[in-house]
Amino acid sequence: MNRLPAPFGSRIDRSRRIRFTFEGKPFEGYEGDSIASALAASGQWVLSRSFKYHRPRGILSMTGADANALVQLPSEPNAAAERTPISEGLRVSAQNVNGSLERDRDAVMDRFGRFLPVGFYYRTFMGPRRDSWLKFWEPIIRRKAGLGVVDTKAPHRHFDKTHLHCDVLVVGAGPAGLSAAIAAAEAGADVVLCDENPEVGGSLSYGRCDPATLSGLSSRLEALPNLKVLTGTVCNGWYEDNWLPLIEGNRLHRTRAREVILATGAIDQPAVFRNNDLPGIMLGGAAQRLIRHYGVRPGHSAVVLAANEDGYRTALDLLDAGVSVVELVDPGSAGDAGPLEAELRGKGVAVRKGATVEAAEGTAGNRHLARVRVGGNWIACDLLAVSVGQAPAWQLPCQAGGKVGYDAGTQTMTITLPEGPVQLAGAVAGTDELQDAIASGRHAAATALSRLGHAVAAEPPVTPKSARPRYVQPVVADPKGRDFVDFDEDLQVKDLQNATRDGYREIELVKRFTTVGMGPSQGRHSALATARIVAEATGRTVGEIGITTARPPVGPETLGVLAGHHEALERRTALHARHIALKAAMKPVGAWWRPYYYGDASSAEEAVREEILAVREGVGLLDVSTLGKLEIRGPDAGEFLDRLYTMAHANQPTGRVRYCLMLNEMGSVIDDGVAYRMAEDQFYVTATTSAVARVYADMLFWNAEWRLKVDVLNLTGAFSGLNVTGPKARLVLEALDSDIDFSRGAFPYLSGREGVVGGIPMRVMRIGFTGELSYELHCPSSLASSLWDAVMAAGGPHGLRPYGLEASRILRLEKGHILIGQDTDAITTPDELGFGWAVSKKKPFFVGKRSIEMRARLGQTRKLVGLQFPAGSRNIPGESCLVLRAGAPVGQITSVGYSPSLEAHIALAYVHVDDQAEGSRVTVKCRNGELVEAPVVAHAFFDPTNARQEI
């Protein structure tokens, strides 16, 4: 066992033991252990096999930022063992193995590396025949490629989304981030502080520093009610206008911040030498994390490669943990011994300067480190802790517009940000010392607060006490290879050098040719070394080479987090109980449950036929509460609708209703409805059920863009609607006590009225979706049931019958009225629908106007027409069946159904523009492959003169 006693192990609870399995073997750890730490405590150092050569791999960073420690969980591939906590009964297995982790049959690939040079796949998999890739090579590669297995039967998990808004978002809760968050919150700003670790502190939680520093900052943190702390939360990207996704487990916080401070720290860099990937070789920070976070001894006999003071501190921590430090190797030049070196020597540790680790060798099968070569001599050890340098965590700063540079004087990467709402603090800004990092946080907070308008004392920018150059390890290819630059992709120094010899001199091309930086670590441990190799090979400076573009996401994110709730969204109208009582067959339409028809399921077709005839011959009642209902208020309401819709609304008389057709910027139809002008500065607009969310969002967007004096209200849920339609509709409404005159002269077609009907306040519009005399009654949803009951009672003597969605669909089809999303697609224009009458030719602008004019000049290729199939036809094509012309597809059926009024099957379909004339015959391919012909007829199959709706 490698477990250390308390006080080591700040994250674990030793009172709670947890049992789990790895590769089928039982293991035990404590509550708070990660998979990697629990396995390390039990002496299991090999966690995975490498991608290409299947070499044993183990802990490298303990940050979950590399492929070395990716494991398979029962329902999740590529889980980061260094971060994933253990749980009772958890079954963990290794990835990328053929056979078992201990005996991987594909480990033989390590012996054939010379035959697999970088880019070999571009040359190898092109022959010998033209179809060799698809027929031969791809199936082989697919069987070998990929890390982990997706469980398609995994149980659903709960995912959540929230919205966060704050004055200042601080990313990273290390010393700089804590300092910045505290300073901003103490000045009165609303602050959110997030960190990917389960506790705040960053390096203060595992590094060799005074515990009082962290406790002091933490106590100030807890005293600030306006500071929200999110631990275990990853900031996975920066997007325009300071929009940042914060992922907390299975919850996505969609965050908008006025100011952002990035205190994301720096990334330890591995050293490059032969066999630098052996289990037992890890970064100094990983050894410290194992000791302080998990109480795990990372080895028994250690060599420390220390090119900076962090390495010396690591050596001292190893001694405190009972690890024998055989030697500290410092590649820097000999000079005056600092206090850390003196302390080490005082404890009997040999310090060798001016030397470096040249190679390593492993135990049998390379399962663990056995010894390292320093200055030509081999030193036996089971741990090599590496601290040779760092690179600032550049991903988020670069996404926010930062530029990565290279300071040749100090031999370090630098990041510069343009002046704006994003600040850098701490190690990512180039500070080394603890107090400098804390001061850097205060300075970033002062800058952000000043931009927010807070009166704060100016904080001087932090300047390093000394611009001493860092050690830069010479990257020279080992003659025997296996000197890995990118552990994820098994890329060696010679691979990158060969890429430059093949002509790939630019870093972006080197990345794509070699795949360097394309693995899970995304270049965190390889970008700097790669830049140095390419610079050396091409005779340029590191600054001229740069690094590849950093794009979001910063780290992995599950599709579940992006999707959010798995639970299906369900909505019911205020009349749902009334429909159930009438034995309605309810069906989901989007999120809404709507009555499909009323009556016994055994006679569905007959029920629909009777509902249609009831509307045509008497009166019917339809629940239209799912329609979108939007209210536009303000002195510019008419101008606003003029810009949004194709028809003219600014001059629309009060009390009148007008058809609305909405386009997007490319001139495609995206919605239709009606607009009722209730007052000079007030419109009541309907939208289709499926599109109202988008229409409302578009209205808000354009309102923000145009800055007109309007307010947009979404009343979809607040108001319910009933459609009373049929030749006897007026008789039903006149039977109700009302202050509205429903006579033809007082209430003409395409008019609207406000009043009280049956004691219920409402808005009434006379429109004609069914082609019959129709009134839409809109009232507060809380009164919808009372209105339904009143209309049903008044309509009883007239044979009123409620009708469902299918009857409504056929009724509108008989009139040739379109359904958005069914009879339109992503490129449908008004002209293709025959809706030129709905597009104003006089308005100087509306959304999509320029596009439809440009598209009109290109000419049409299709037209939406009506088709009527002969009575008695035995094979009727279904929706989406192809319309053919000379054997080639030119369109499709969009809507089809049987019309009881016409006693024939009718359809709407896109046909070739040359076949749009009434009387033309078109060919349709049925689902069984049979070709049938049908004549083109006018859109309005029933009552083409519209006389019935205007009675």
Side-chain angles (χ1 to χ4, degrees):
M1 289 288 292
N2 296 317
R3 190 68 74 174
L4 297 169
F8 297 116
S10 61
R11 290 183 180 175
I12 60 174
D13 181 356
R14 298 174 193 265
S15 67
R16 300 189 61 185
R17 293 182 178 272
I18 294 178
R19 295 169 180 81
F20 68 104
T21 64
F22 178 65
E23 287 289 281
K25 299 176 182 178
F27 287 89
E28 189 176 81
Y30 293 122
E31 178 80 22
D33 259 323
S34 69
I35 295 171
S37 68
L39 291 175
S42 299
Q44 176 66 46
W45 293 102
V46 180
L47 301 179
S48 68
R49 291 278 177 163
S50 68
F51 177 68
K52 185 176 178 181
Y53 299 124
H54 287 252
R55 291 168 63 89
R57 291 282 169 80
I59 291 171
L60 174 66
S61 66
M62 280 304 293
T63 62
D66 52 85
N68 279 18
L70 295 182
V71 295
Q72 174 78 46
L73 302 184
S75 60
E76 182 181 352
N78 299 312
E82 296 167 331
R83 286 195 172 278
T84 305
I86 59 173
S87 57
E88 189 64 36
L90 181 67
R91 291 180 291 112
V92 187
S93 56
Q95 293 188 161
N96 203 43
V97 298
N98 181 7
S100 68
L101 180 62
E102 290 298 315
R103 297 185 179 275
D104 185 351
R105 288 187 288 270
D106 285 347
V108 69
M109 297 295 291
D110 198 20
R111 301 182 182 180
F112 293 95
R114 61 184 297 181
F115 302 109
L116 304 173
V118 64
F120 75 96
Y121 27 82
Y122 297 122
R123 305 180 180 96
T124 305
F125 304 132
M126 297 298 109
R129 302 187 317 181
R130 292 184 63 182
D131 62 351
S132 292
W133 167 252
L134 290 176
K135 296 295 181 64
F136 182 73
W137 295 114
E138 186 183 32
I140 294 175
I141 293 172
R142 285 200 177 276
R143 285 195 295 270
K144 292 293 184 184
L147 298 177
V149 178
V150 174
D151 181 4
T152 58
K153 298 181 180 180
H156 284 203
R157 290 184 289 171
H158 177 75
F159 294 91
D160 193 17
K161 289 184 179 180
T162 69
H163 294 270
L164 281 179
H165 296 268
C166 60
D167 293 327
V168 179
L169 170 67
V170 181
V171 181
L178 287 172
S179 173
I182 291 168
E186 287 180 340
D190 182 21
V191 180
V192 172
L193 171 65
C194 72
D195 193 277
E196 61 187 358
N197 294 294
E199 72 281 297
V200 299
S203 61
L204 296 176
S205 69
Y206 64 85
R208 191 176 184 85
C209 51
D210 185 356
T213 303
L214 178 56
S215 62
L217 290 170
S218 298
S219 61
R220 292 172 64 190
L221 196 74
E222 294 166 0
L224 295 166
N226 56 325
L227 200 165
K228 182 182 181 68
V229 179
L230 296 174
T231 54
T233 302
V234 177
C235 180
N236 224 26
W238 182 95
Y239 297 87
E240 199 68 29
D241 295 327
N242 274 353
W243 190 95
L244 301 98
L246 307 183
I247 301 175
E248 181 185 15
N250 288 341
R251 174 173 293 173
L252 172 63
H253 300 281
R254 293 185 279 197
T255 307
R256 182 79 69 180
R258 297 173 65 190
E259 294 288 319
V260 172
I261 297 174
L262 300 177
T264 48
I267 304 166
D268 286 341
Q269 298 297 295
V272 180
F273 52 85
R274 177 168 168 77
N275 290 327
N276 61 337
D277 64 329
L278 292 175
I281 300 177
M282 65 183 69
L283 299 172
Q288 290 177 303
R289 287 178 171 92
L290 282 172
I291 293 169
R292 286 210 163 79
H293 284 162
Y294 301 106
V296 174
R297 183 186 295 109
H300 294 86
S301 178
V303 171
V304 178
L305 177 58
N308 50 40
E309 290 187 351
D310 289 338
Y312 284 81
R313 295 187 182 99
T314 299
L316 291 168
D317 283 343
L318 290 171
L319 290 173
D320 291 346
V323 179
S324 173
V325 179
V326 180
E327 190 169 293
L328 183 140
V329 180
D330 186 345
S333 58
D336 295 336
L340 295 175
E341 179 183 342
E343 186 176 355
L344 274 175
R345 291 185 184 275
K347 294 186 177 184
V349 176
V351 177
R352 185 188 307 198
K353 290 198 168 185
T356 189
V357 174
E358 300 150 357
E361 285 187 355
T363 58
N366 281 335
R367 288 176 173 81
H368 202 274
L369 175 68
R371 60 179 186 167
V372 296
R373 191 178 72 215
V374 179
N377 300 315
W378 289 99
I379 304 173
C381 60
D382 63 359
L383 170 65
L384 174 63
V386 177
S387 294
V388 295
Q390 296 176 325
W394 67 88
Q395 290 82 4
L396 284 174
C398 287
Q399 292 168 23
K403 300 296 183 183
V404 174
Y406 191 79
D407 187 333
T410 60
Q411 300 290 309
T412 56
M413 288 176 62
T414 60
I415 299 177
T416 55
L417 273 173
E419 184 176 346
V422 181
Q423 316 299 327
L424 300 180
V428 72
T431 60
D432 283 339
E433 304 298 331
L434 175 59
Q435 294 307 316
D436 285 347
I438 293 173
S440 172
R442 290 197 301 267
H443 173 72
T447 303
L449 290 167
S450 177
R451 288 176 50 83
L452 293 172
H454 289 259
V456 292
E459 285 281 345
V462 177
T463 55
K465 293 181 176 62
S466 62
R468 62 183 185 280
R470 274 58 161 188
Y471 166 75
V472 178
Q473 180 196 16
V475 183
V476 180
D478 190 283
K480 296 182 180 180
R482 299 304 180 263
D483 43 0
F484 293 99
V485 177
D486 190 325
F487 295 147
D488 298 350
E489 304 287 342
D490 273 352
L491 289 171
Q492 306 162 67
V493 176
K494 65 180 181 182
D495 293 326
L496 300 173
Q497 291 175 338
N498 288 338
T500 63
R501 295 188 184 108
D502 281 343
Y504 299 97
R505 295 170 50 86
E506 303 304 324
I507 194 70
E508 294 284 359
L509 298 179
V510 170
K511 173 180 178 178
R512 282 149 183 79
F513 184 67
T514 65
T515 70
V516 64
M518 288 189 178
S521 71
Q522 288 291 289
R524 288 173 175 83
H525 298 130
S526 60
L528 183 53
T530 299
R532 286 171 174 160
I533 292 170
V534 175
E536 177 69 22
T538 60
R540 289 178 289 175
T541 65
V542 176
E544 291 173 324
I545 298 298
I547 61 172
T548 57
T549 304
R551 298 181 178 90
V554 174
E557 52 193 19
T558 65
L559 296 178
V561 164
L562 299 179
H565 299 285
H566 278 292
E567 297 82 4
L569 178 65
E570 292 187 4
R571 300 186 72 179
R572 291 172 170 80
T573 72
L575 300 171
H576 189 81
R578 297 295 191 272
H579 302 318
I580 298 299
L582 292 169
K583 298 182 178 180
M586 305 300 290
K587 284 194 173 184
V589 180
W592 292 96
W593 282 93
R594 301 190 67 183
Y596 191 63
Y597 62 89
Y598 295 85
D600 192 347
S602 63
S603 57
E605 291 185 6
E606 181 62 21
V608 171
R609 189 186 74 83
E610 290 177 356
E611 290 172 7
I612 293 170
L613 294 178
V615 172
R616 293 289 181 227
E617 298 170 2
V619 62
L621 179 63
L622 177 68
D623 179 5
V624 295
S625 302
T626 64
L627 282 175
K629 307 169 197 74
L630 303 160
E631 190 162 309
I632 317 300
R633 298 177 180 176
D636 292 335
E639 171 69 13
F640 183 67
L641 294 186
D642 255 8
R643 297 188 188 187
L644 272 178
Y645 291 101
T646 59
M647 295 189 75
H649 297 279
N651 62 356
Q652 181 178 334
T654 300
R656 296 292 290 172
V657 175
R658 191 163 287 177
Y659 180 71
C660 296
L661 189 68
M662 179 179 276
L663 311 180
N664 60 16
E665 293 93 327
M666 64 180 282
S668 297
V669 176
I670 59 173
D671 193 50
D672 71 346
V674 296
Y676 163 32
R677 189 164 203 165
M678 302 175 64
E680 187 67 23
D681 59 353
Q682 182 181 8
F683 284 82
Y684 185 64
V685 180
T686 65
T688 56
T689 300
S690 60
V692 60
R694 178 195 178 154
V695 171
Y696 179 55
D698 280 359
M699 285 184 171
L700 296 181
F701 173 83
W702 289 117
N703 190 20
E705 179 82 12
W706 294 330
R707 308 278 179 165
L708 296 177
K709 297 176 181 178
V710 294
D711 189 24
V712 183
L713 303 175
N714 189 344
L715 303 178
T716 301
F719 272 66
S720 293
L722 302 182
N723 186 23
V724 184
T725 181
K728 300 180 181 180
R730 185 178 289 123
L731 296 176
V732 173
L733 295 180
E734 288 178 338
L736 293 167
D737 184 24
S738 174
D739 61 1
I740 298 176
D741 184 351
F742 288 99
S743 66
R744 179 181 181 183
F747 201 156
Y749 180 61
L750 290 181
S751 294
R753 299 289 184 268
E754 283 187 278
V756 177
V757 178
I760 299 170
M762 67 182 61
R763 301 164 179 179
V764 184
M765 295 178 289
R766 185 177 166 190
I767 52 182
F769 192 60
T770 65
E772 300 290 343
L773 173 65
S774 300
Y775 298 90
E776 269 194 20
L777 289 71
H778 291 229
C779 71
S781 292
S782 59
L783 303 175
S785 296
S786 298
L787 177 62
W788 176 275
D789 294 341
V791 173
M792 288 288 288
H798 303 286
L800 181 142
R801 176 169 181 159
Y803 66 99
L805 204 59
E806 179 61 10
S808 176
R809 188 183 74 87
I810 298 299
L811 287 165
R812 68 90 196 174
L813 181 57
E814 290 177 343
K815 289 296 295 178
H817 293 155
I818 65 167
L819 286 180
I820 299 295
Q822 179 164 331
D823 300 306
T824 65
D825 55 32
I827 58 174
T828 300
T829 65
D831 286 340
E832 291 175 339
L833 299 174
F835 279 22
W837 56 269
V839 180
S840 172
K841 305 298 189 295
K842 298 180 179 179
K843 292 196 300 183
F845 170 81
F846 56 82
V847 175
K849 175 180 172 66
R850 180 172 178 270
S851 295
I852 60 173
E853 292 172 348
M854 294 174 66
R855 292 173 68 176
R857 290 195 292 270
L858 296 175
Q860 289 187 42
T861 60
R862 64 176 185 170
K863 194 82 169 184
L864 188 72
V865 301
L867 301 179
Q868 182 166 332
F869 299 93
S873 298
R874 64 179 182 83
N875 199 359
I876 303 299
E879 291 167 356
S880 298
C881 284
L882 295 176
V883 175
L884 306 178
R885 192 171 198 264
V890 293
Q892 76 278 353
I893 302 286
T894 61
S895 295
V896 66
Y898 178 75
S899 166
S901 308
L902 303 172
E903 297 184 344
H905 282 87
I906 57 177
L908 292 179
Y910 285 105
V911 302
H912 192 276
V913 68
D914 292 339
D915 293 334
Q916 66 178 298
E918 195 169 350
S920 300
R921 299 188 68 83
V922 297
T923 301
V924 184
K925 185 176 183 179
C926 298
R927 292 205 171 107
N928 63 358
E930 182 180 346
L931 302 181
V932 299
E933 285 193 352
V936 173
V937 298
H939 266 224
F941 301 93
F942 181 80
D943 185 28
T945 62
N946 296 326
R948 296 173 67 92
Q949 68 188 21
E950 298 186 18
I951 61 175

